[in-house]
Amino acid sequence: MVQQVVTGNRLADGVVIYLGQDGGWTPKIDAARVAVDEDEAKLLEDIAKAAEKARMVVGPYLVEVTDAEGAVTPVRYRERLRAYGPSVHPEFGRADVPDHLRMGSEAEYVHMNGVAG
Amino acid sequence: MYRYDEFDHAMVKDRVEQFRGQIARRMAGEMTEEQFRPLRLQNGLYLQLHAYMLRVAIPYGQLNAVQMRKLAHIARTYDKGYGHFTTRQNIQYNWPKLSQVADILDELASVEMHAIQTSGNCIRNTTADQYAGVTADEIEDPRIYAEIIRQWSTFHPEFTFLPRKFKIAVSGAVGADRAAVRFHDIGLFIVKNDAGEVGFEVWVGGGLGRTPMIGKKIRGFVAKADLLAYLEAVLRVYNMLGRRDNMYKARVKILVHETGTEEFTRLVEKEFEDTQGGALDLPAAEIDRIADYFQPPAYEALSDDPPALTARRFEDKGFNNWVRVNVARHKVAGYAIANISLKPVGVPPGDVTADQMDAVADIAETFSLGGIRVTHEQNLVLPDVRQDQLYDLWLALREQGLADANLDHIGDMICCPGLDYCSLANARSIPIAERISQRFADLDRQYDIGELRLKISGCINACGHHHVGHIGILGVDRKDQEYYQITLGGAPGEDAAIGTKVGAAFSAAEIVDAVETVVNTYLALRQPKERFIDTFRRVGDAPFKESLYDKAA
């Protein structure tokens, strides 16, 4: 079953945000509302389009996620970079990202196996 | 350097206020993103992977200390405390807030800088040799003509919506191309004709990206007075005939290729016939007026190789290495051109902290008559340093972590921002650059390897110029995994060449070993005094393929 969340960039500062469980927008992917089927994904998309019109978010789109390890995690590597910050200058990522999800340490190992869905 | 007149000041200020209003309308919901996007791009503002990115123009790569301090202030106040110098003599900020961009542009305007036309399908920031005006191998200072082109092209109504972006570079040096001139949409070399007159050799249709091409020489000599008329003729032909139906075929290089150099030249010449001698005539008085802004500073009467310098070089190996590798000969006796490598081990190439920018400004005032240049190799240059002050300069740079003596060596890589920042990229490039710089951190090993241009791009758009690296690395995405293709044999300068792919791509875990294998293969094959590129040209790619692939098979 494909799980998806909606993401985009916040208009005022460009920060990566997700449509949250409470209908608001959050920088924390863990707090994102997860759609578990296509109907729900369509609903999230509709809400996002309304938020785009309301100038909260720029360019929203659906992102495939997994919760295999107990956390909502993007499947694609690009989206993990967006969710957890750049792999260089890890200090530039969000302060509240747990250490085990930060991308900085991966810069040394660059071990990508198992990331692909 | 060129100083804004009252019209320039008013024009840039007006533009800032215009964009401030556009931002306000966007944030108030009076404009959609679709409507706003072209407006923000015309002001150098992108929306990237994590945030907005503001690209600021540094015309022909020239800065003064006041401007550098302003760039530091912007990095510290509006961003995360650093800036990133790019391969087009621009600086980028990776984290500005939309709500503060007009304030940033206002700050830039106060020091005669802006972000206009650093994006969009217009004539972009005109680049030049970073040694312009101070190198002995120069016919004339290319900054004068880059400035004239800047004034002609900025806000040119006919060329604001070209089929694609358009890039021009100018070099005045003989036998040395430090600006990758042949890889520009228009490349200009200042030349002398048989009558001893100075003019321009014109190359058109160079570029990298998914279809890399070396420009074609379409005219051996254009008189100074005809420069703008000839450029306008080229642009007009491109604007009329360049493809707008397919963005991948829209650059002038495709037009020249598909039309044929001869026919393209004929069309340009025909257009030029109609334009020459008209409103675009460039009078000598106007050239002189602009040249006055680039008059050399008052140099002191000094001698080359002062005893103090010789003694310090003898005493201090680290300093001697830095002078040998990073310092170039100045046209005036007793002075030197000092390169600041922005490639310390393990740091993203081109990144500089706000504190380092402030320090460079102070150092430039103390040691370089206030002048600073930005290079397309993502480094800085102090153009006017007294040779007898080089040691003190080196000490000051070392204190700031800016004295790496690796210019043109494997540690001095070009590297695009890659997937870590860029929304177009397919793979990361900075971590690869960092790992290669760590692997080859030993300077003695770098010196043994000798000149080696390594360039890394995170996608086929080739912002990291991988096609013209002696060793080029291109990041690709295969089923969400990062892979890296190696090209060999590229060269950006007077011996321009496009590298060829050696074979299958390597995983992220393998690529650094693969680079080392290429280097070791060269070391085993080279003859005395051969650079990497010389050996590659002599032996071809077969031995490199063999060492990279056959052994593993």
Side-chain angles (χ1 to χ4, degrees):
Chain A
M1 184 173 56
V2 175
Q3 300 184 100
Q4 297 177 92
V5 299
V6 167
T7 184
N9 292 76
R10 192 158 62 198
L11 173 65
D13 56 11
V15 162
V16 175
I17 49 176
Y18 301 89
L19 180 57
Q21 290 154 9
D22 60 358
W25 289 80
T26 171
K28 298 180 181 182
I29 192 169
D30 249 1
R33 166 88 173 257
V34 180
V36 294
D37 56 38
E38 285 309 309
D39 279 351
E40 203 172 347
K42 175 77 172 55
L43 176 67
L44 295 192
E45 246 186 333
D46 289 345
I47 294 169
K49 279 178 188 164
E52 190 176 23
K53 276 191 181 166
R55 64 187 184 277
M56 295 177 67
V57 61
V58 182
Y61 58 96
L62 287 163
V63 168
E64 208 174 316
V65 295
T66 174
D67 58 2
E69 292 171 29
V72 178
T73 307
V75 171
R76 285 188 62 84
Y77 190 70
R78 176 183 189 273
E79 291 302 328
R80 289 177 64 195
L81 277 170
R82 289 182 75 248
Y84 306 129
S87 73
V88 291
H89 288 303
E91 70 277 18
F92 293 160
R94 286 201 342 269
D96 58 349
V97 173
D99 282 348
H100 72 283
L101 290 174
R102 280 197 182 280
M103 309 302 287
S105 58
E106 274 194 65
E108 286 181 32
Y109 305 111
V110 199
H111 183 69
M112 304 290 295
N113 294 336
V115 172
Chain B
M1 63 195 293
Y2 178 76
R3 301 298 317 272
Y4 282 17
D5 63 20
E6 61 187 295
F7 300 105
D8 297 319
H9 278 291
M11 200 186 316
V12 173
K13 277 277 185 192
D14 284 353
R15 181 64 173 256
V16 172
E17 290 316 306
Q18 183 188 52
F19 191 43
R20 188 187 295 280
Q22 289 162 347
I23 291 172
R25 286 164 58 206
R26 171 67 183 121
M27 293 188 69
E30 293 166 18
M31 248 193 285
T32 64
E33 184 62 18
E34 200 177 18
Q35 291 165 328
F36 180 60
R37 188 171 174 273
L39 302 175
R40 69 168 156 77
L41 289 175
Q42 283 170 358
N43 290 284
L45 187 65
Y46 290 73
L47 183 53
Q48 293 282 34
L49 207 63
H50 300 286
Y52 291 97
M53 180 271 279
L54 181 68
R55 181 181 294 151
V56 177
I58 303 171
Y60 32 92
Q62 180 153 338
L63 285 172
N64 60 35
V66 172
Q67 290 171 323
M68 184 62 107
R69 280 196 196 94
K70 181 60 79 176
L71 296 179
H73 167 74
I74 289 168
R76 193 176 285 120
T77 310
Y78 300 97
D79 208 275
K80 291 183 186 270
Y82 78 107
H84 173 77
F85 288 103
T86 78
T87 54
R88 281 207 64 72
Q89 297 179 316
N90 296 311
I91 185 169
Q92 292 179 178
Y93 294 104
N94 282 326
W95 308 88
K97 295 177 173 65
L98 176 62
S99 52
Q100 294 184 325
V101 167
D103 293 338
I104 298 174
L105 295 176
D106 212 25
E107 297 249 23
L108 288 169
S110 72
V111 294
E112 304 184 348
M113 295 184 77
H114 60 70
I116 298 163
Q117 295 191 185
T118 57
S119 178
N121 293 335
C122 56
I123 301 170
R124 301 283 187 89
N125 184 32
T126 295
T127 55
D129 181 353
Q130 66 270 17
Y131 293 174
V134 292
T135 178
D137 59 7
E138 184 172 271
I139 293 172
E140 268 190 33
D141 188 338
R143 292 173 300 171
I144 298 160
Y145 302 98
E147 173 58 30
I148 288 168
I149 293 167
R150 188 188 73 81
Q151 295 194 15
W152 159 75
S153 63
T154 306
F155 302 124
H156 194 307
E158 190 178 334
F159 305 136
T160 303
F161 296 98
L162 292 164
R164 281 285 275 141
K165 57 189 171 183
F166 201 93
K167 300 174 179 179
I168 303 175
V170 197
S171 171
V174 177
D177 176 1
R178 287 175 284 263
V181 169
R182 290 171 183 82
F183 292 101
H184 281 74
D185 294 298
I186 295 179
L188 298 170
F189 288 105
I190 298 174
V191 292
K192 258 187 196 166
N193 66 10
D194 293 341
E197 299 160 324
V198 174
F200 301 90
E201 187 178 279
V202 181
W203 294 64
V204 177
L208 301 175
R210 70 180 57 227
T211 315
M213 288 188 185
I214 299 174
K216 315 290 187 297
K217 188 165 94 174
I218 67 165
R219 216 178 209 254
F221 189 83
V222 171
K224 287 180 183 179
D226 294 329
L227 173 64
L228 296 183
Y230 201 80
L231 293 180
E232 185 123 336
V234 174
L235 263 300
R236 192 163 285 163
V237 170
Y238 169 56
N239 203 19
M240 285 190 293
L241 302 180
R243 289 182 63 166
R244 286 180 157 87
D245 61 324
N246 182 340
M247 72 172 289
Y248 301 115
K249 296 185 175 180
R251 296 292 291 267
V252 71
K253 63 188 172 189
I254 304 294
L255 179 64
V256 173
H257 179 73
E258 292 189 349
T259 310
T261 308
E262 203 175 313
E263 175 62 7
F264 180 83
T265 307
R266 190 188 67 77
L267 294 168
V268 170
E269 291 290 332
K270 188 168 172 293
E271 192 65 40
F272 178 55
E273 265 178 37
D274 297 340
T275 328
Q276 187 181 20
L280 286 165
D281 188 57
L282 184 57
E286 177 61 8
I287 296 173
D288 291 345
R289 189 182 73 83
I290 298 296
D292 279 346
Y293 291 105
F294 298 96
Q295 288 301 315
Y299 294 114
E300 295 175 56
L302 303 168
S303 299
D304 274 333
D305 304 315
L309 172 64
T310 309
R312 289 294 192 189
R313 291 186 67 170
F314 180 76
E315 289 161 6
D316 193 322
K317 183 187 168 196
F319 173 63
N320 187 47
N321 282 338
W322 180 77
V323 172
R324 189 173 52 79
V325 173
N326 281 35
V327 175
R329 187 62 76 179
H330 198 286
K331 70 178 181 184
V332 177
Y335 285 83
I337 304 166
N339 286 274
I340 301 174
S341 167
L342 299 183
K343 321 289 173 59
V345 174
V347 172
D351 277 12
V352 195
T353 68
D355 289 348
Q356 286 176 321
M357 282 189 256
D358 274 338
V360 168
D362 293 345
I363 287 168
E365 281 179 336
T366 306
F367 296 103
S368 182
L369 307 174
I372 305 158
R373 309 281 177 81
V374 180
T375 84
H376 90 276
E377 303 267 357
Q378 299 180 287
N379 292 320
L380 300 176
V381 169
L382 300 174
D384 294 306
V385 182
R386 280 175 60 138
Q387 290 176 11
D388 59 7
Q389 294 185 342
L390 278 170
Y391 186 72
D392 290 338
L393 166 64
W394 178 70
L395 291 176
L397 290 173
R398 205 171 59 165
E399 213 166 286
Q400 301 300 325
L402 293 171
D404 286 70
N406 59 9
L407 201 78
D408 298 340
H409 288 70
I410 193 167
D412 180 21
M413 287 165 263
I414 282 185
C415 177
C416 76
L419 187 56
D420 274 305
Y421 293 98
C422 176
S423 55
L424 298 176
N426 295 320
R428 293 178 301 161
S429 47
I430 294 171
I432 304 301
E434 290 179 342
R435 287 168 56 220
I436 293 171
S437 81
Q438 282 156 354
R439 179 71 66 91
F440 291 92
D442 179 0
L443 276 177
D444 286 334
R445 188 179 178 204
Q446 290 197 39
Y447 298 152
D448 179 40
I449 295 164
E451 182 187 332
L452 206 169
R453 312 293 181 108
L454 192 142
K455 302 175 195 288
I456 308 172
S457 300
C459 78
I460 195 64
N461 292 308
C463 294
H465 295 189
H466 66 278
H467 295 297
V468 294
H470 295 171
I471 300 175
I473 297 175
L474 167 64
V476 292
D477 177 345
R478 296 239 178 98
K479 295 182 181 171
D480 206 37
Q481 305 233 4
E482 293 173 309
Y483 279 86
Y484 297 89
Q485 289 175 349
I486 290 182
T487 57
L488 296 177
E494 56 279 10
D495 56 349
I498 292 166
T500 51
K501 201 174 104 179
V502 287
F506 295 89
S507 72
E510 297 165 335
I511 184 64
V512 180
D513 287 340
V515 168
E516 193 162 27
T517 299
V518 170
V519 171
N520 288 339
T521 305
Y522 150 67
L523 292 174
L525 290 168
R526 72 175 169 187
Q527 292 179 351
K529 295 191 177 173
E530 264 189 346
R531 301 171 304 159
F532 176 91
I533 189 71
D534 304 325
T535 301
F536 178 82
R537 285 172 177 167
R538 178 172 56 80
V539 303
D541 59 8
F544 295 95
K545 281 184 174 174
E546 190 183 335
S547 56
L548 281 170
Y549 299 106
D550 286 3
K551 281 179 188 167

